[in-house]
């Protein structure tokens, strides 16, 4: 099994087919989108492929160590950061092909007018867990 991180982006990825920002959706459309995400996770829990996932709030702060005895330095929030990652899901699957299949299914979450977003999702293998790629 190989673990992959599926990243949902607010912006920064190629435009989705149904590219209407969530702040222009109705509450029912937002609810349907979030329910699709929950149902998708529940389905993967049943197959043993779901590890964890979360939606992220748009707020964020950069933090760094500034030396012995000094408090951490903070800066931000930065628009380019909060606009980037909307949420994530970790999956544990048998192959790269299965990870691509699941990312494609997740990309079909409904958006404005209940139509699938067909958004681009970033699929990244965990470091140290080489993907199982069959040729």
């Amino acid at each position: 099994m190989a673990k992959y991180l599926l990243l949902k982006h607010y912006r920064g990825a190629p435009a989705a087919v149904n590219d209407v920002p969530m702040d222009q959706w109705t509450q029912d459309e937002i609810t349907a989108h979030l329910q699709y995400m929950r149902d998708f996770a529940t389905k993967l829990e049943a197959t043993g492929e779901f590890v964890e996932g979360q939606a992220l709030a748009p707020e964020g702060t950069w933090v760094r160590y500034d030396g012995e005895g000094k408090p951490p330095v903070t800066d931000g929030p930065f628009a380019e950061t909060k606009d980037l990652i909307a949420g994530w899901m970790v999956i544990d699957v048998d192959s790269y092909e299965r990870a691509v299949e699941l990312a494609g299914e997740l990309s079909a979450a409904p958006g404005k007018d209940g139509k699938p977003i067909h958004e681009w999702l970033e699929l990244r293998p965990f470091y140290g867990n080489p993907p199982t790629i069959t040729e």
Side-chain angles (χ1 to χ4, degrees):
M1 301 278 283
K3 288 184 181 168
Y4 290 88
L5 178 64
L6 298 172
L7 291 172
K8 288 180 63 72
H9 295 265
Y10 282 117
R11 288 186 279 281
V17 173
N18 186 0
D19 192 25
V20 178
M22 193 177 267
D23 62 1
Q24 296 176 26
W25 298 5
T26 66
Q27 187 57 52
D28 286 345
E29 291 165 341
I30 293 170
T31 299
H33 179 81
L34 295 176
Q35 187 61 52
Y36 182 96
M37 303 295 289
R38 284 190 292 273
D39 291 346
F40 184 79
T42 298
K43 181 181 93 166
L44 295 186
E45 285 174 346
T47 64
E49 296 171 307
F50 180 79
V51 176
E52 188 173 353
Q54 283 294 327
L56 298 175
E59 304 83 28
T61 303
W62 287 96
V63 178
R64 79 157 199 224
Y65 174 76
D66 201 35
E68 188 66 38
K70 296 180 182 178
V73 175
T74 62
D75 199 2
F78 294 105
E80 64 270 18
T81 301
K82 72 177 185 180
D83 290 346
L84 183 62
I85 307 292
W88 52 270
M89 182 178 288
V90 177
I91 57 174
D92 195 357
V93 294
D94 288 329
S95 67
Y96 170 78
E97 290 79 10
R98 178 64 175 156
V100 169
E101 176 186 348
L102 292 175
E105 185 177 337
L106 187 58
S107 168
K112 182 72 177 155
D113 299 324
K115 296 177 184 172
I117 298 172
H118 297 286
E119 68 183 326
W120 288 91
L121 298 174
E122 186 176 354
L123 176 64
R124 296 182 66 178
F126 275 49
Y127 184 74
N129 292 323
T132 308
I133 300 176
T134 56
E135 307 257 347

